[in-house]
């Protein structure tokens, strides 16, 4: 694969995984301007993470974090449904 295309693919993967982890674990309802500012900084931070991904397992760590948060959200929703049932 071309190194430039590989770097862009890695950046895209890291950005998408970071957005998923942010949404699942940390996101709250914000006004649109504040949310846009958060995503701008997330975009800039992913550029640094992409550079680090050449040496460290950044994408793999984000996948694991996303899986853990998905499992947590599923269990939380099941627990809430169980409490609401008589």
């Amino acid at each position: 694969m071309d190194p430039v295309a590989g770097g862009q693919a890695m950046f895209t993967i890291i950005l998408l995984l970071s957005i998923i982890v942010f949404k699942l674990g940390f996101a709250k309802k914000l006004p649109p301007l504040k949310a846009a500012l958060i995503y701008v900084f997330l975009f800039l931070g992913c550029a640094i993470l992409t550079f680090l991904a050449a040496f460290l397992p950044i994408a793999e760590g984000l996948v694991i974090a996303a899986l853990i948060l998905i499992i947590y959200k599923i269990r939380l929703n099941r627990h809430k449904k169980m409490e609401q049932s008589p």
Side-chain angles (χ1 to χ4, degrees):
M1 180 177 255
D2 179 35
V4 174
Q8 290 173 344
M10 181 60 72
F11 176 77
T12 303
I13 290 168
I14 289 174
L15 181 64
L16 290 175
L17 288 171
S18 296
I19 289 171
I20 290 169
V21 169
F22 174 71
K23 281 292 212 181
L24 288 174
F26 306 104
K28 294 182 179 182
K29 288 287 185 183
L30 294 173
L33 189 58
K34 287 183 181 179
L37 186 63
I38 294 286
Y39 286 111
V40 166
F41 282 114
L42 189 64
F43 181 85
L44 295 173
C46 285
I48 296 168
L49 288 177
T50 302
F51 175 73
L52 293 174
F55 310 107
L56 300 170
I58 302 294
E60 294 86 349
L62 287 170
V63 168
I64 292 170
L67 290 174
I68 289 170
L69 288 170
I70 288 169
I71 292 168
Y72 171 74
K73 290 291 184 175
I74 290 170
R75 291 183 61 142
L76 184 65
N77 285 340
R78 284 186 184 171
H79 182 71
K80 286 182 180 179
K81 285 181 184 178
M82 294 290 275
E83 283 185 350
Q84 291 176 354
S85 299

